[in-house]
Amino acid sequence: MRRRGSVQQKISCVFLTEVKNEPSTKREYQKFRVLATETLNPKVLESDIQSAVPTEKLDGTCCYVSAYKGKPYLWARLDKKPNKQAEKRFKTFQHSTKGSEGKAFVWNVKEDFRSVPESWIFAHGVTQCNGYPQPDENGHIPGLGSKKQPIHLLVSHGVLEIQSAPAVNYQQLLGWFQGCEEGKVEGIVWHCSDGTLIKLHRHHLGLRWPVEDPFLNSRPVLVNVDLTQYEWDFIPKSLFTTFSEFNGRQFDHLKDICFE
C-alpha cells in the first residue's frame, strides 16, 4: 500500500449518490442535498475495498505554511464572510427570481465584509478584480488567518484507524454511525491497497454533523512542548508557552486541558 496522507483530488463516495431537490443540511444557501443510494460505487469493487484500511474522516480544514514578517507561520483556514446587512441582501437575492436564473450577485468587497486579523491573507486561486479578492458562490472569500488561542491539531491524513468499522453495507454503516461510540465521527475514509481513497460522510446518509461529544474528544492526549530545547521569542501568552506549562502531562480527553 502507498503511504497514506496524499490527497490530490476529490474523494469519491463509497455509494453512488443522487441529488434531492431540498435544502442542504451541510451548506447554507445550498438548495439541494447529495445523498447516498444503497448501490455501491463501481470504484469500490475495482479497488478491493474489503481489504482497505478504514480511517476516521476528520472535520478539519486546510493548512498552509508560509513566511510572515520573516518567520515561518502555520496558517489555518479563515474565510472572510459578509456582514449582517450584506448577508441579508445576499440571502434575499438567492431566493429571488434573479438568483434562480443564475445571475451573479454584485458585491461591494470594500464594505460588505467583516473585518479580519491583520495577518489574514486570501487563499491561492481566489479570483481578483482590480486587486481585490472576490467572493465564491457561497459569499465567502477563502483565506487564512488566526483567532485568539485556537488549538489547531496538525494530523496526517489517515493515521486514525477505525477499529470497529462495519462491512461496506448501507444499513450496517447507517447503524454504526447512529449507535456506536466510535461512530461519532464526520465520516470514514477507506485507504485501498492500490492507493485509491473512498469516503462516506454522515451527510451522505442524511445524518447530522457536527454531533455532541465526537469520538476524537475521547482520545487521551500527551502534551510534549519542551521549550528548553529551542530558541524562541513567542509572546508570553502564546499557545506554545501555555502548552509548555503542561509539558509531560497526560490528559484523559482533549477537553480536559484548561488554560484558565
Side-chain angles (χ1 to χ4, degrees):
M1 178 181 290
R2 299 178 188 174
R3 179 184 61 84
R4 295 181 218 163
S6 179
V7 182
Q8 302 294 332
Q9 56 189 359
K10 287 287 186 180
I11 303 175
S12 298
C13 179
V14 69
F15 299 107
L16 295 180
T17 57
E18 60 182 355
V19 177
K20 294 283 189 179
N21 190 25
E22 52 192 55
S24 171
T25 58
K26 183 178 180 181
R27 294 185 178 90
E28 197 176 0
Y29 309 126
Q30 185 171 295
K31 298 180 181 179
F32 60 90
R33 300 175 73 186
V34 179
L35 297 174
T37 66
E38 296 194 28
T39 304
L40 285 176
N41 188 325
K43 285 187 177 181
V44 170
L45 303 176
E46 295 171 4
S47 300
D48 187 22
I49 197 170
Q50 301 301 337
S51 62
V53 178
T55 67
E56 179 178 346
K57 183 182 187 302
L58 293 173
D59 187 3
T61 185
C62 62
C63 293
Y64 177 62
V65 178
S66 178
Y68 178 70
K69 294 185 176 180
K71 296 182 179 180
Y73 267 64
L74 174 63
W75 306 73
R77 178 76 174 266
L78 179 63
D79 290 355
K80 196 172 186 179
K81 299 181 179 180
N83 55 41
K84 289 185 178 180
Q85 294 81 4
E87 186 175 21
K88 186 176 180 180
R89 287 192 291 110
F90 185 56
K91 279 186 176 181
T92 301
F93 175 83
Q94 292 283 74
H95 293 89
S96 68
T97 305
K98 291 182 179 178
S100 61
E101 291 175 350
K103 294 184 179 179
F105 180 77
V106 179
W107 294 97
N108 183 334
V109 293
K110 293 182 180 179
E111 300 179 3
D112 285 345
F113 292 86
R114 301 174 187 176
S115 60
V116 289
E118 178 189 357
S119 58
W120 184 86
I121 59 174
F122 58 86
H124 292 293
V126 171
T127 302
Q128 297 183 57
C129 181
N130 297 323
Y132 292 97
Q134 300 298 302
D136 59 18
E137 67 276 8
N138 298 311
H140 298 172
I141 302 176
L144 303 147
S146 62
K147 296 180 180 179
K148 184 179 180 181
Q149 286 200 321
I151 300 179
H152 297 306
L153 303 178
L154 188 60
V155 182
S156 181
H157 192 65
V159 298
L160 300 179
E161 292 188 17
I162 294 175
Q163 303 302 319
S164 64
V168 183
N169 170 277
Y170 185 97
Q171 293 300 330
Q172 290 192 46
L173 285 163
L174 178 62
W176 182 81
F177 277 113
Q178 291 178 316
C180 180
E181 190 67 24
E182 199 178 7
K184 292 182 178 180
V185 295
E186 186 194 21
I188 299 176
V189 176
W190 287 269
H191 295 252
C192 302
S193 58
D194 64 357
T196 300
L197 301 180
I198 306 289
K199 73 177 180 182
L200 180 66
H201 194 289
R202 293 179 72 94
H203 283 122
H204 286 133
L205 302 175
L207 301 177
R208 181 174 57 89
W209 181 262
V211 296
E212 216 174 299
D213 199 20
F215 183 68
L216 183 64
N217 285 356
S218 69
R219 294 177 182 270
V221 178
L222 174 64
V223 179
N224 182 14
V225 183
D226 185 0
L227 296 184
T228 62
Q229 300 183 36
Y230 309 96
E231 293 183 5
W232 55 274
D233 58 353
F234 304 121
I235 60 175
K237 292 185 178 181
S238 77
L239 277 178
F240 286 104
T241 54
T242 302
F243 270 118
S244 69
E245 297 174 7
F246 299 113
N247 183 49
R249 288 184 57 184
Q250 182 163 332
F251 297 85
D252 292 334
H253 311 97
L254 180 64
K255 63 184 178 182
D256 293 336
I257 304 175
C258 298
F259 295 140
E260 296 179 356

